[in-house]
Amino acid sequence: MKERGLIPIVAGEILKTKKVVLLWLIGFKEACCFHRAFIFCRRSRLLLIRTGQCFLLNGLIFLGSLFFLNSLVIPSLMWILPDHCNQVGSQEFCDQATSLQLYSSLRNLLVQFFYIFWFYPLYVFSFILSSMWYTDIAKNAFAASMENHSSRKLELRDKNESTDSQDISRLERPAGLEGIILGIGEQIYSLLLLFFFFIQVFATGYIPWIGQTMNFFLLSWMYSYYCFEYKWNYSELSLDKRIKFFESNWPFFAGFGSPCVLAILFFPPLVSYGVMSILYPLFVLTAMGTHAEDVITLQRRSWSDLELVKLPIFYIADILSMKVLQLLPKELGKNQ
């Protein structure tokens, strides 16, 4: 009798697993729809210029500088300042260990100079300028998407439906000073939440055995949230509703962020930054063209009574953020 009772439970868990995998694959597929980026770029000249500038700065200049360093500068220094006796060609010189050590120290010093006076300033310059360009790209893409919104808009709400995916609605802020304070408080909370979540993602990489797997999923969610945050901001979606929607549909957003992580998974940090800086505008444009609410709602309608468990992805970041907000003026803290 016990075995018969376990059969429906096991079957239900298998069905849930299939739905999770299916929703993850749908998110992955949506992230790879790069043709949407080209459509947006055709609609807006400024959008095309900003996207091209990201490719130029982060691809040609930043990654090109890394390639120049590794393929030309370092091999040239290895030839001028060798670290092996067979490269010197003089036995008398090889007998002097201090000379080879001096060569090695001088070579490392010159490479460090290259990083200090070129790569690190270029990295900071690229980060600041790219962030500004990402905002312009998202703004112009949102404007372009609104032009075609009326012809593609789907009805998401039904009178008898109450799923979490139906909670997407515009934020109605109060007018005047109260609305301004609410907006400031929400922005501060959002920055703190993403900051602590970034630390959480970084820390999980050092957990033995399961750390790398956890890091992969957390990174996927982080990049996915970053991509959709522009659209949600311009749509005036309240922060609590976007987080609820994100955590309620975590397989879709894990799938959407997976291509971002896979693209940089096997590169060293600086190369990963350059590659991600090139691809990130494309994912932002793809997210801007993805009607996540529509896709998820249509998929959930075929699940009958099956519901996914809400995953508290931002739980730790939320606790730490609220601790910090308690130190701020009460007017900001009350709005959170």
Side-chain angles (χ1 to χ4, degrees):
M1 296 295 294
K2 291 183 178 180
E3 292 181 356
R4 292 181 179 179
L6 288 175
I7 292 177
I9 298 176
V10 174
E13 293 300 322
I14 293 176
L15 182 59
K16 286 184 179 180
T17 302
K18 289 182 178 180
K19 298 301 181 182
V20 167
V21 174
L22 178 60
L23 204 55
W24 185 92
L25 290 173
I26 293 174
F28 191 96
K29 178 184 176 182
E30 291 291 325
C32 295
C33 294
F34 294 119
H35 65 280
R36 294 171 181 165
F38 295 103
I39 294 175
F40 281 129
C41 289
R42 289 182 59 185
R43 294 177 183 174
S44 173
R45 179 175 176 81
L46 181 59
L47 181 58
L48 178 62
I49 292 174
R50 288 288 183 261
T51 306
Q53 287 173 329
C54 287
F55 275 86
L56 179 64
L57 175 61
N58 299 299
L60 184 62
I61 299 178
F62 188 83
L63 289 179
S65 298
L66 278 173
F67 179 79
F68 177 76
L69 173 67
N70 293 321
S71 62
L72 184 61
V73 174
I74 293 180
S76 299
L77 291 176
M78 289 292 295
W79 179 72
I80 299 172
L81 303 171
D83 57 353
H84 297 290
C85 290
N86 55 1
Q87 294 178 295
V88 178
S90 173
Q91 186 62 36
E92 182 179 352
F93 185 86
C94 289
D95 293 337
Q96 300 177 5
T98 55
S99 299
L100 291 176
Q101 187 176 2
L102 177 63
Y103 274 15
S104 178
S105 300
L106 183 59
R107 185 179 63 253
N108 292 333
L109 181 62
L110 291 173
V111 172
Q112 290 303 315
F113 277 159
F114 197 90
Y115 275 94
I116 292 173
F117 293 104
W118 177 250
F119 271 113
Y120 296 146
L122 181 61
Y123 176 85
V124 175
F125 176 75
S126 170
F127 181 82
I128 296 174
L129 197 57
S130 295
S131 299
M132 298 170 59
W133 287 342
Y134 296 155
T135 303
D136 283 346
I137 289 172
K139 183 188 301 182
N140 285 276
F142 184 78
S145 66
M146 286 296 99
E147 295 177 359
N148 197 40
H149 180 68
S150 58
S151 62
R152 193 195 176 278
K153 186 176 180 180
L154 297 176
E155 185 66 33
L156 294 179
R157 289 184 179 269
D158 289 336
K159 294 181 180 180
N160 298 325
E161 289 183 344
S162 60
T163 60
D164 290 330
S165 62
Q166 302 299 318
D167 291 332
I168 299 299
S169 61
R170 293 173 65 87
L171 172 64
E172 296 182 359
R173 288 201 182 109
L177 182 61
E178 184 179 356
I180 296 175
I181 294 176
L182 176 62
I184 295 174
E186 190 173 84
Q187 289 298 320
I188 293 175
Y189 174 75
S190 179
L191 290 174
L192 288 173
L193 185 76
L194 294 178
F195 171 75
F196 287 119
F197 188 71
F198 176 80
I199 295 178
Q200 179 183 347
V201 172
F202 180 79
T204 53
Y206 294 95
I207 300 177
W209 305 108
I210 62 173
Q212 294 301 320
T213 302
M214 291 178 60
N215 186 257
F216 178 85
F217 283 104
L218 290 176
L219 271 176
S220 299
W221 281 316
M222 185 181 73
Y223 283 126
S224 180
Y225 187 89
Y226 284 163
C227 291
F228 279 94
E229 188 183 29
Y230 293 102
K231 182 177 182 178
W232 290 334
N233 278 334
Y234 292 127
S235 300
E236 298 182 356
L237 179 66
S238 61
L239 185 62
D240 59 332
K241 289 183 178 179
R242 71 180 70 168
I243 291 177
K244 182 180 180 181
F245 180 67
F246 191 91
E247 293 182 336
S248 299
N249 301 285
W250 51 270
F252 174 86
F253 292 105
F256 191 95
S258 294
C260 309
V261 182
L262 291 173
I264 62 174
L265 190 61
F266 303 104
F267 293 111
L270 282 177
V271 178
S272 296
Y273 167 79
V275 173
M276 193 65 229
S277 298
I278 295 174
L279 296 178
Y280 185 68
L282 299 180
F283 289 116
V284 170
L285 293 175
T286 303
M288 199 65 68
T290 300
H291 297 268
E293 305 86 30
D294 299 353
V295 174
I296 294 173
T297 300
L298 290 174
Q299 184 60 38
R300 281 185 171 237
R301 283 175 179 172
S302 64
W303 294 2
S304 61
D305 296 333
L306 181 62
E307 288 294 333
L308 293 178
V309 177
K310 180 181 176 183
L311 192 65
I313 300 171
F314 298 103
Y315 178 76
I316 297 176
D318 177 65
I319 292 178
L320 296 176
S321 299
M322 295 304 297
K323 293 291 184 182
V324 175
L325 283 175
Q326 291 176 0
L327 305 177
L328 297 178
K330 294 182 178 179
E331 287 79 4
L332 296 178
K334 288 179 180 178
N335 291 297
Q336 300 304 323

